[in-house]
């Protein structure tokens, strides 16, 4: 619970400016009350007399900036976040397994506390791939320490089916421990993605996940990151972004891949040459197929068709950047079907920058409650009679 802490506006602006310069964080994405609370916590920890002295200390001590970044960046993540994404990765991996000549290289950046790269590793193993490595980068030392340990609280996998749980981890001392095979596949490293060259010189990744970071960055950091991704992805590679990450800097370098156009991209130049052949044969997950196909509609178990229709419209609006309409349709879907997980997840993504932290927290708590109550609900679908 954050207590109200008052810090002079000029100091808050100075701190936000330091974060913008060092980590590319857009000052508009930071809440003043959160900065004030974190600064107060750090000030007390360091036994400094007042916020002014803390800011002087911050300017002088490089390691304090790291503590502050750790404490202020949004590290929200979860295993198999956005199930449509992992359906697509599985389909991509199954195809890749057939033609693979050399080990596949995958990047998860930012990886936060590790759930994303471990989820990718589990999906690739399930798809029959054994020859792959995953690099996982994040700016936060604290998040990376958790990721490297690979031990997660009891509820971390409660929303996924039991077979997927067992592919990811084993249960010990009331926690999930990521299985050794997955631990060995993922290499974690601290990298600041707002710096140019952060992903190295043409590392040649086949698959890159860069989800839920663009929304927090200012324009020049977004341009740097988009350029790094463009350098890092192989010519025929695939980039996966978060729902709210479809920014102009991405559009300038990448094109969406149907049918997962809301989150899957490839190089612009690649689409003009051989992309149609490569991506057309990837199986389409039901959630997305329903948008364009004339085949009989499918529906999530127990979800009214009208709610499903609103959700589909929300996806379409979010894909073409009309976030206000996307949010409206999501709310309409949730009015009719309050537990409809794809709509909740889309709303969660659309609200990443919502000014009300209270609303965001309430939505995330609601998602967790539903996931705990109905572990495999988000993966269940059936054909409508
Ligand atoms: C919301 S999490 C996203 C994690 C994961 N990709 C997902 O979608 O579940 C955002 C992450 O970005 C990281 N981050 C913020 N600024 C960064 C930067 N400049 N370089 C690298 N990572 C950064 C944060 O530490 C945090 O772990």
């Amino acid at each position: 619970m954050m207590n109200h802490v008052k810090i002079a506006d000029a100091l808050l602006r100075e701190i936000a400016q330091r974060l913008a310069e060092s980590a590319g964080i857009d000052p508009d994405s930071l809440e003043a009350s959160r900065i004030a609370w974190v600064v107060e916590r750090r000030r007390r920890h360091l036994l400094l007399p007042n916020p002014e002295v803390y800011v002087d200390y911050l300017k002088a001590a490089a390691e304090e900036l790291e503590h502050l970044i750790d404490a202020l960046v949004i590290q929200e993540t979860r295993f198999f976040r956005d199930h449509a994404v992992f359906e697509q990765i599985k389909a991509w991996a199954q195809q890749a397994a057939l033609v693979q000549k050399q080990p596949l290289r995958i990047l998860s950046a930012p990886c936060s506390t590790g759930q994303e790269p471990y989820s990718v590793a589990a999906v690739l193993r399930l798809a029959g791939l054994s020859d792959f490595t995953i690099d996982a980068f994040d700016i936060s030392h604290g998040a990376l320490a958790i990721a490297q340990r690979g031990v997660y609280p009891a509820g971390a996998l409660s929303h996924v089916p039991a077979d997927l749980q067992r592919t990811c981890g084993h249960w010990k001392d009331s926690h999930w421990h990521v299985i050794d095979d997955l631990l060995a596949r993922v290499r974690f490293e601290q990298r600041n993605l707002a710096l140019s060259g952060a992903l190295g010189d043409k590392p040649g990744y086949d698959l890159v996940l860069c989800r839920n970071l663009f929304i927090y960055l200012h324009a020049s950091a977004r341009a740097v990151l988009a350029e790094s991704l463009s350098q890092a992805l192989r010519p025929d590679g695939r980039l996966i972004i978060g729902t709210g990450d479809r920014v102009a800097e991405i559009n300038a370098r990448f094109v969406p891949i149907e049918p997962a156009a809301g989150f899957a991209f490839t190089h612009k130049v690649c689409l003009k040459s051989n992309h149609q052949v490569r991506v057309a044969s990837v199986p389409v997950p039901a959630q997305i197929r329903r948008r364009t196909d004339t085949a009989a509609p499918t529906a999530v178990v127990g979800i009214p068709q009208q709610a499903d229709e609103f959700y589909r419209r929300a996806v379409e609006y979010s894909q073409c950047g009309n976030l206000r309409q996307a949010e409206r349709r999501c709310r309409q879907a949730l009015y009719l079907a309050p537990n409809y997980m794809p709509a909740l997840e889309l709303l969660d993504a659309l609200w990443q920058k919502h000014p009300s932290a209270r609303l965001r927290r309430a939505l995330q708590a609601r998602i967790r409650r539903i996931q705990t109550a109905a572990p495999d609900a988000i993966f269940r679908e059936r054909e409508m009679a």
Side-chain angles (χ1 to χ4, degrees), residues 49-72:
N50 57 51
E52 286 77 4
V53 177
Y54 174 79
V55 171
D56 288 340
Y57 178 76
L58 178 65
K59 286 179 193 158
E63 72 277 9
E64 183 52 26
L65 186 60
E66 293 194 348
H67 284 298
L68 196 63
I69 291 171
D70 256 32
L72 279 170

Side-chain angles (χ1 to χ4, degrees), residues 30-99:
L30 294 165
E31 281 169 55
S33 57
R34 186 140 179 270
I35 303 179
W37 182 77
V38 167
V39 165
E40 181 61 11
R41 208 185 59 190
R42 291 297 306 160
R43 181 192 72 72
R44 286 179 188 215
H45 175 79
L46 295 162
L47 304 174
L48 298 173
N50 57 51
E52 286 77 4
V53 177
Y54 174 79
V55 171
D56 288 340
Y57 178 76
L58 178 65
K59 286 179 193 158
E63 72 277 9
E64 183 52 26
L65 186 60
E66 293 194 348
H67 284 298
L68 196 63
I69 291 171
D70 256 32
L72 279 170
V73 287
I74 305 292
Q75 294 177 358
E76 168 74 18
T77 188
R78 57 185 170 272
F79 280 97
F80 305 99
R81 183 180 195 179
D82 300 334
H83 74 287
V85 165
F86 287 92
E87 297 264 6
Q88 270 294 308
I89 293 176
K90 189 168 159 200
W92 169 85
Q94 279 162 344
Q95 215 189 17
L98 299 175
V99 296

Side-chain angles (χ1 to χ4, degrees), residues 143-290:
L144 288 167
I146 295 171
Q148 257 152 349
R149 223 176 133 227
V151 178
Y152 297 94
L157 282 163
S158 60
H159 60 292
V160 302
D163 59 336
L164 213 45
Q165 290 183 351
R166 283 192 298 273
T167 309
C168 289
H170 61 270
W171 183 249
K172 194 177 142 202
D173 301 333
S174 306
H175 283 73
W176 284 106
H177 293 243
V178 172
I179 62 169
D180 289 347
D181 180 50
L182 302 193
L183 283 177
R185 304 253 170 201
V186 187
R187 182 182 71 89
F188 291 100
E189 197 178 306
Q190 199 265 352
R191 300 257 180 117
N192 181 352
L193 299 169
L195 298 180
S196 101
L199 297 179
D201 187 22
K202 297 203 189 308
Y205 290 111
D206 300 281
L207 176 70
V208 171
L209 286 93
C210 183
R211 303 194 302 157
N212 303 307
L213 174 57
F214 274 100
I215 44 171
Y216 299 114
L217 299 181
H218 56 63
S220 54
R222 289 199 303 266
V224 165
L225 177 55
E227 182 54 28
S228 297
L229 293 173
S230 174
Q231 297 270 329
L233 192 68
R234 278 168 55 100
D236 55 353
R238 180 170 294 206
L239 168 69
I240 307 275
I241 61 170
T243 317
D245 295 325
R246 181 93 191 259
V247 291
E249 292 80 4
I250 286 285
N251 290 332
R253 293 166 180 82
F254 301 97
V255 281
I257 301 174
E258 289 292 353
F263 54 77
F265 290 76
T266 190
H267 287 285
K268 262 193 168 160
V269 57
C270 175
L271 187 71
K272 287 186 194 124
S273 53
N274 62 357
H275 148 269
Q276 288 299 349
V277 183
R278 286 188 162 277
V279 297
S281 56
V282 173
V284 184
Q287 281 292 335
I288 292 163
R289 183 175 61 231
R290 291 200 302 277

